[in-house]
Amino acid sequence: MTQDEVLDIFRSCDALLEGHFILSSGLRSPVFLQKNRVFMFADKAEKLCKALAEKIRAEGFGDVSQIVSPAVGGIIPGYETSRHLGVPAIFTERVNGVFELRRSFSVAPGEKVIIVEDIVSTGLSIRECIDAIKALGADVIAAACIVDRSGGEADVGVPLVSLTQYKVPAYSPDNLPPELAAMPAVKPGSRGLQ
């Protein structure tokens, strides 16, 4: 899929928002991709995740035993991508601020897994998920996402496969452009909610 095709799906779901948004990283942005507006439509989630699975295979990372995703945002794309790769999907959850596997989920030492996330800005959630899975002895061979908002700049510690890159400006809260500073900030993401 091209960037335009991916973004057209977001637009068709009113999921490409403009305003003043507080990202999970704490950075501020005039654009927010509200992926849950897309994921509420199974056909659109399937189209995006099928294309992501094809790209994962094309880049040589399709030989994994399962997908691991960081909760909450990565659960749906992880599940749907795993369906197209023909492997199980599990997810990590934050316990006292740290990702861990719960719900009888497990990985085996040496098992090859790929981390699947929804949107990457700084890559923090993926890095934290990778740390949790590597601590259990599994081999995280790559990570993947629907949209890489960093434009390829996020370092997640393993190769990152993105369905598309969409570089969106992001600012520290103390360095906002005047037009952004003049708007009230909204935090639409899930990090920090319990």
Side-chain angles (χ1 to χ4, degrees):
M1 294 183 83
T2 66
Q3 181 187 74
D4 286 340
E5 290 170 325
V6 173
L7 295 180
D8 282 347
I9 289 174
F10 276 79
R11 286 185 191 99
S12 75
C13 299
D14 295 323
L16 186 58
L17 309 178
E18 294 183 2
H20 180 178
F21 302 100
I22 303 171
L23 305 177
S24 294
S25 63
L27 297 174
R28 308 295 180 91
S29 180
V31 175
F32 188 78
L33 297 166
Q34 185 52 277
K35 74 279 180 175
N36 292 313
R37 298 270 322 154
V38 175
F39 295 155
M40 59 192 266
F41 299 100
D43 61 325
K44 294 182 186 333
E46 177 183 23
K47 187 173 186 177
L48 292 170
C49 295
K50 181 179 181 185
L52 182 59
E54 290 169 356
K55 192 162 185 184
I56 290 168
R57 276 194 199 99
E59 295 199 15
F61 300 113
D63 184 25
V64 294
S65 57
Q66 59 184 338
I67 300 293
V68 181
S69 295
V72 166
I75 294 174
I76 293 172
Y79 170 82
E80 188 63 27
T81 303
S82 77
R83 190 167 72 86
H84 295 286
L85 289 174
V87 298
I90 62 175
F91 55 88
T92 58
E93 296 175 81
R94 288 190 191 279
V95 177
N96 297 319
V98 178
F99 275 132
E100 65 179 52
L101 290 176
R102 299 182 61 236
R103 305 174 194 267
S104 300
F105 292 150
S106 65
V107 293
E111 178 180 6
K112 291 183 180 180
V113 302
I114 189 167
I115 307 298
V116 174
E117 176 68 296
D118 50 9
I119 311 286
V120 169
S121 293
T122 64
L124 178 61
S125 291
I126 289 179
R127 287 190 304 274
E128 291 175 336
C129 189
I130 288 170
D131 290 346
I133 299 307
K134 283 186 172 182
L136 298 172
D139 182 11
V140 179
I141 63 167
C145 64
I146 304 292
V147 179
D148 176 1
R149 285 179 46 112
S150 79
E153 295 175 8
D155 179 4
V156 299
V158 296
L160 177 63
V161 177
S162 62
L163 186 55
T164 194
Q165 292 183 356
Y166 179 53
K167 180 73 171 164
V168 177
Y171 307 95
S172 66
D174 58 353
N175 192 28
L176 299 175
E179 64 276 8
L180 202 58
M183 289 186 254
V186 176
K187 185 175 183 182
S190 62
R191 183 173 297 160
L193 299 178
Q194 296 292 330

